[in-house]
Amino acid sequence: MSLETFWFALVAVLFVMYFVLEGFDFGVGMLLPFLGRHSEPDGDKRRRVLLTAIGPVWDGNEVWLITGGGALFAAFGGWYATMFSAFYLPLLLILVGLIVRVVAIEWRGKINDRKWRMWCDVGIGLGSWLPAILWGVAFANVVRGIPIGADAQYTGGFFNLLNPYALLGGLTMVLVFITHGAVFLALKTTGDLRHDAQSVALRLAIPTTAVAAAFLLWTQLEYGEGWTWAVVAIAVVAAVVMVAGAYLRREGLAFGATCVAIAATVGLLFCVLFPNVLPSTTDLAFNLTVANTSSSHYTLVIMTWAAVIMTPIVLLYQGWTYWVFRQRLAVERIPEHGGLPLREEASRAGRS
């Protein structure tokens, strides 16, 4: 395997990890107004349980996006430059959504005021729905291809990105993430909140599987190779197991299945893309590929050594974090008003 191919595979792994881990964070944010309604007497406590469930890990999960973007910039500068100029507006909106979400999560408990918390909840919702939709649209367009000229410049407009395949990708990402989040909450909570999360996962299991299957089939038939049917099969089996886990109320099984399904879906997009990194719909001769967008061999060698050393450290640290905060959370163990860091509130609300 060449270093160029190795780094394409590593970029794929980094984005797979991001979508698997950050996916349930987005799902929890999208479910916040439904599982923690303001009209309920314990609505604020329920919302704090939802946020506490992701509190110790959500910022660590975003490290995979930062690392993936950095690896893309360093290893494939040409891919990075063209893609970020073509998707400037969608990526800007994703960034704004992520910033609003960060601020809302961190500042929600700083002021004991109902309206303050309500507006923070709006920010969390906006910062969850918007990136979920736009990530699906962006990655679908990367696979489909965009108008690129001989100078590797994007020659289309914003509405070129809103094609049926890309919109289906956005819908798929939203449904998969919200189902992923519901299953995660069923795994992390107790009592009525756990039951409500299970009910949401149960209602979403079939529609999510149907939409995701349509997207996978379209991707495979239009852009796939013979061997990539194996990746489709893995995603389909995982989706079936997720549905079975939801109906049997086996949230551990269902959560593992959604992780595999998301990994296989994102992995399929990278598999059908290779050896291209950004196809041109103008002329195949203008395709951006692994070969013509990669950095120098020396740069890739240095990056490879850094990755070999640092990646195991990141995995060990993040795995330790998930282990420490593995307890289920209960509404009755949440104090009347927040203000504590989410990690401390998670420790107090947890039950071994």
Side-chain angles (χ1 to χ4, degrees), residues 8-337:
F8 178 86
L10 186 56
V11 167
V13 169
L14 292 172
F15 277 101
V16 165
M17 292 295 294
Y18 172 68
F19 286 123
V20 168
L21 297 178
E22 190 75 347
F24 65 76
D25 291 343
F26 287 143
V28 170
M30 289 187 276
L31 288 169
L32 198 64
F34 303 103
L35 293 180
R37 290 183 290 273
H38 286 272
S39 59
E40 297 176 348
D42 62 345
D44 185 63
K45 283 190 175 182
R46 288 168 66 96
R47 287 190 293 277
R48 282 164 59 196
V49 169
L50 300 184
L51 294 177
T52 302
I54 63 172
V57 297
W58 70 268
D59 47 358
N61 293 341
E62 289 193 343
V63 169
W64 295 101
L65 174 61
I66 298 170
T67 308
L72 188 63
F73 171 77
F76 300 101
W79 182 11
Y80 180 95
T82 301
M83 186 172 69
F84 272 69
S85 62
F87 300 151
Y88 183 83
L89 182 56
L91 292 176
L92 175 63
L93 292 175
I94 288 173
L95 181 60
V96 170
L98 293 177
I99 292 173
V100 169
R101 176 170 166 264
V102 168
V103 173
I105 291 175
E106 292 293 340
W107 289 5
R108 187 183 188 276
K110 301 300 183 183
I111 301 176
N112 186 16
D113 179 76
R114 183 176 178 275
K115 286 186 177 180
W116 171 263
R117 292 193 294 270
M118 182 187 70
W119 280 110
C120 286
D121 293 343
V122 171
I124 294 169
L126 177 67
S128 300
W129 284 92
L130 192 61
I133 295 170
L134 293 177
W135 277 127
V137 170
F139 268 82
N141 272 298
V142 169
V143 172
R144 177 181 178 270
I146 57 176
I148 301 174
D151 56 356
Q153 295 297 311
Y154 179 59
T155 58
F158 175 74
F159 291 101
N160 287 97
L161 306 178
L162 302 180
N163 53 80
Y165 176 69
L167 293 176
L168 180 60
L171 178 61
T172 300
M173 201 71 84
V174 165
L175 288 174
V176 169
F177 284 171
I178 199 169
T179 304
H180 195 35
V183 173
F184 173 77
L185 288 173
L187 184 65
K188 283 289 295 178
T189 58
T190 63
D192 291 340
L193 190 53
R194 177 187 180 188
H195 179 270
D196 292 346
Q198 288 175 331
S199 298
V200 171
L202 191 62
R203 289 196 295 269
L204 290 174
I206 296 296
T208 299
T209 301
V211 172
F215 179 68
L216 287 170
L217 189 61
W218 189 340
T219 302
Q220 174 62 29
L221 293 177
E222 187 72 21
Y223 311 106
E225 304 287 344
W227 66 271
T228 54
W229 278 108
V231 184
V232 176
I234 292 172
V236 170
V237 170
V240 171
V241 172
M242 181 273 292
V243 173
Y247 273 86
L248 295 173
R249 299 189 181 276
R250 297 278 301 277
E251 54 264 21
L253 177 65
F255 182 71
T258 58
C259 289
V260 174
I262 293 172
T265 300
V266 179
L268 176 67
L269 297 180
F270 279 94
C271 287
V272 301
L273 185 61
F274 185 81
N276 296 316
V277 294
L278 195 57
S280 171
T281 57
T282 304
D283 191 319
L284 294 179
F286 303 153
N287 284 359
L288 301 185
T289 67
V290 168
N292 64 25
T293 61
S294 67
S295 298
S296 68
H297 179 78
Y298 184 67
T299 300
L300 296 181
V301 169
I302 296 175
M303 290 175 59
T304 301
W305 279 110
V308 168
I309 295 171
M310 296 304 300
T311 302
I313 297 174
V314 174
L315 289 172
L316 287 171
Y317 171 76
Q318 196 159 33
W320 175 81
T321 304
Y322 277 91
W323 174 256
V324 170
F325 294 99
R326 66 189 182 279
Q327 299 92 346
R328 289 183 181 270
L329 305 175
V331 174
E332 58 269 18
R333 296 175 67 89
I334 293 289
E336 286 302 321
H337 173 58

